[in-house]
Amino acid sequence: APPNHPPNPKNPENKGSLTTMIRFFFMINKQGTTRISRFYSSQLDSAKKRQLEREVFAAVVARERSMSNIIDHEEYTVVYHRYVGLYVVVGIDPTDNELLAHETIHLFVEILDQYFGTVREIDVIYHFSVCYAILDEFILAGHVQDANKDLILLRLKQMPQLGTGKR
């Protein structure tokens, strides 16, 4: 661990790290259809992944808007935010920083908004590969690698297969 980062007493495995380990990242519409699904842990087979998506969605959609956007679900802490008709959900370890997970959600949606010019579910449906490219551009192996929105957008525009993104 770098000498200037003290170990986190809540998480002895996370020795001095100031990042949050993301275990999964979902974007689910209010009917329960998963639009984006990325797992950063190979511990689950595909049937368990689908079951986890369903369980997390059921837990998130059952909550009142006035309640916290943080849920403890099995061995994960689930952080979510609802944007119009889409829930963006991140699963992290229980000892990790929920605020960083929430900021990751917000950064992803801000990048989508700037790329598409106000993102809508239809953009995610028809341009899912762009959404995955955006997600992969700043999250690597479950850790946020780059939080510079302008730099991420510049790199995306330099990818010829993605285009400009504006409608």
Side-chain angles (χ1 to χ4, degrees), residues 92-145:
I92 59 174
D93 291 328
T95 55
D96 282 342
N97 189 328
E98 295 95 352
L99 184 57
L100 286 176
H102 197 270
E103 288 296 318
T104 301
I105 291 170
H106 189 66
L107 175 64
F108 179 66
V109 173
E110 279 185 339
I111 293 169
L112 288 176
D113 274 345
Q114 285 193 3
Y115 188 82
F116 289 110
T118 308
V119 69
R120 299 178 303 208
E121 184 178 1
I122 198 82
D123 295 318
V124 178
I125 292 169
Y126 287 113
H127 304 286
F128 66 91
S129 60
V130 172
C131 296
Y132 277 110
I134 290 170
L135 191 60
D136 293 342
E137 197 59 38
F138 77 98
I139 297 177
L140 178 65
H143 294 282
V144 175
Q145 297 299 309

Side-chain angles (χ1 to χ4, degrees), residues 5-75:
H5 294 121
N8 182 348
K10 287 176 32 182
N11 186 358
E13 296 297 316
N14 193 359
K15 295 178 175 47
S17 175
L18 297 178
T19 63
T20 295
M21 175 62 186
I22 298 169
R23 298 297 176 179
F24 56 82
F25 192 104
F26 304 148
M27 184 178 272
I28 305 171
N29 71 10
K30 58 186 174 184
Q31 288 78 30
T33 305
T34 302
R35 299 299 181 193
I36 300 286
S37 176
R38 177 74 81 212
F39 286 85
Y40 297 101
S41 174
S42 59
Q43 296 172 333
L44 302 173
D45 62 27
S46 59
K48 290 202 186 277
K49 288 178 182 179
R50 297 304 150 267
Q51 179 183 354
L52 180 62
E53 287 176 18
R54 288 190 303 273
E55 289 173 358
V56 166
F57 173 73
V60 165
V61 78
R63 294 176 62 86
E64 299 289 329
R65 282 187 170 260
S66 61
M67 298 174 85
S68 167
N69 290 3
I70 300 168
I71 305 170
D72 288 326
H73 181 75
E74 296 178 6
E75 70 263 23

